[in-house]
Every structure is written in C-alpha cells, then in structure tokens.
Amino acid sequence: MDVFTALADPTRRALLAKLQDEGECDVGELVAAHEVSQPAISRHLRVLLDAGLVSVRQHGRRRHYRVQPDGLLPLISYLTGFWDQRLTALESVLDGLKEQP
Amino acid sequence: MTYAYDLQRDLASPPGHVWRALTEAELLSRWFMACDQDLDTLPIGGTFTLTDPDAKGWSGILDGHLLERNAPDRLVYRTDERDGSSSTTLTWTLTATEHGTRLQLHHAGWEGLRGFMTAQFLRMGWRSLIAKNLTELLHTIDR
C-alpha cells in the first residue's frame, strides 16, 4: 500500500502521532492508547510497515515500532511537485494572456 | 491545533492578468483545478466546485465558498474537501512589482498530524524541493 492510502486513515495517523511522541511503542501500548482492538491495531501497523512509514524491532517477545521518516518522501515530492507544476502552468497561462490584444 | 503554509512567486505579468488567471473558470482550469464558476462575478458567500481528476491521496473534489474579493489585490475562499477530511482557507494576495506581480498564497486551517506534515513539507519543499532534516523535523510534531 502506498503512503497516500496509508495516511488517509485517521487511526493510522493517530498511531503515527503516538509513535512520534513516544519514540517507540509496542502493540500493547498502542492498544491502550487508542481504544481499538489489538487485531485492528496490528492490521494498521502492517499497513504502515508496508508503506514504509514505521519500522519494527524485535525485543524479546515484543515487537517495538517507531516512525520511519523516510517513508514520507513520496508525500513530500508529490506536494512540492503539485505546486511547482501548478505555478509553472500559471506562468504559461499568463504568457498566453500577454499575446491577446 | 491547525497549521498554515505560505507560497510566493514573482510573475512577469501585470496584476490584472494574474487576477484573471485566479478568477476566470476557464483560465483556472488550465493551471490550477477545474472550476465551475467565474470567481470574479460570483457573489461573495457564493459556492463553487474545484476538481482535480489526477488527485493522489485526497478526494480531488473541493467545495469552495467565496469569502472575500478585492480585485485585483486579494481573493479569499474556503475549500472543504468533499469527503469531509479537510476544511482550509486560501488567501491569494497580488502585489504590483517593477517587473510584474508578486503572487502570495497563505493556505491555512490544516489540522492534526497530516496538516502539520503537509504545511511543514510544503514550506520546506518550497525552498529546496528536497527534503532536508526530515528526521529532526518529525521530532517536533505535536510538541
């Protein structure tokens, strides 16, 4: 799943915010913080992992999750590309207006 | 908590031309998004729709509400994403310069984590178009 779809869900954004605040959490801590069932949290974490937005570290029997900032690069390049494209297109529209009488 | 970002570009055209590109439906559709109303004649408080068929990561449909218009200096409208996921306000400011027009956009009302990231990334990306100090930036989220 891509980063756009992954971030479209409010629970997944809340999980990312929690991980950002705490640095690192295991599943139990995330379940306690979000009042969502453990299977649901695990599914969301799987999506975030697939999108490259979090990484996981095995510590004993527990899996610890943390934010993987590089995962956001596609979002950044889309957003910056959006405005760069738009304003470049604006310049060509304006060039067209200049040629009108 | 909501966030905003600002963009600015110096254009080699007079404010009158830039104003037309920002308000006429036909011109808007050629550079920004398809628009179903002419914003230069729509009454203040009137509604319009902006659509982007190539949108990625959002619905691509914005319900617009015209809030303020002072030709050719200032245009303000709110855009509500059709799926309810955001409601933001765009303030366009045009200033005559020696060579044309300085166009500024203040885009405010981004909420939560996604809003913060969007605002920060656009601000940052605008300078360099390259993500810098991303890890450091993310450590400041919601603090």
Side-chain angles (χ1 to χ4, degrees), chain B:
Chain B
M1 182 78 188
T2 65
Y3 303 91
Y5 65 86
D6 293 275
L7 305 180
Q8 174 176 309
R9 184 166 285 199
D10 287 314
L11 300 162
S13 284
H17 284 186
V18 179
W19 181 259
R20 286 185 57 195
L22 286 174
T23 56
E24 292 181 17
E26 197 271 320
L27 295 177
L28 270 173
S29 69
R30 278 159 51 190
W31 72 273
F32 187 51
M33 292 173 71
C35 184
D36 67 344
Q37 301 281 335
D38 282 318
L39 303 185
D40 51 343
T41 51
L42 186 71
I44 301 300
T47 59
F48 56 98
T49 304
L50 292 167
T51 48
D52 179 1
D54 302 322
K56 240 172 117 186
W58 63 293
S59 66
I61 305 174
L62 299 173
D63 291 309
H65 304 261
L66 185 60
L67 302 177
E68 208 183 313
R69 177 180 57 218
N70 185 15
D73 303 320
R74 189 174 151 87
L75 181 71
V76 185
Y77 50 82
R78 193 179 84 234
T79 55
D80 299 335
E81 219 174 309
R82 180 65 62 85
D83 66 5
S85 60
S86 76
S87 175
T88 60
T89 303
L90 285 85
T91 300
W92 297 96
T93 308
L94 290 67
T95 311
T97 62
E98 196 181 336
H99 302 292
T101 306
R102 172 160 295 174
L103 177 65
Q104 290 165 300
L105 168 65
H106 181 68
H107 194 178
W110 294 95
E111 284 186 31
L113 180 72
R114 193 185 183 206
F116 175 86
M117 294 191 303
T118 306
Q120 288 300 316
F121 292 164
L122 279 169
R123 184 178 298 142
M124 188 170 67
W126 201 243
R127 290 198 194 107
S128 61
L129 295 178
I130 292 170
K132 284 194 302 193
N133 304 324
L134 188 54
T135 308
E136 195 184 312
L137 169 75
L138 282 166
H139 281 294
T140 67
I141 286 183
D142 289 343
R143 292 247 163 97

Side-chain angles (χ1 to χ4, degrees), chain A residues 12-29:
Chain A
R12 289 197 284 273
R13 293 202 296 271
L15 287 173
L16 277 179
K18 171 76 175 166
L19 290 173
Q20 193 61 53
D21 281 349
E22 303 295 329
E24 195 172 77
C25 293
D26 65 22
V27 176
E29 291 166 321

Side-chain angles (χ1 to χ4, degrees), chain A residues 93-101, chain B residues 17 20 24 26-27 30:
Chain A
V93 167
L94 292 170
D95 285 344
L97 290 181
K98 272 183 192 167
E99 284 154 20
Q100 288 179 9
Chain B
H17 284 186
R20 286 185 57 195
E24 292 181 17
E26 197 271 320
L27 295 177
R30 278 159 51 190

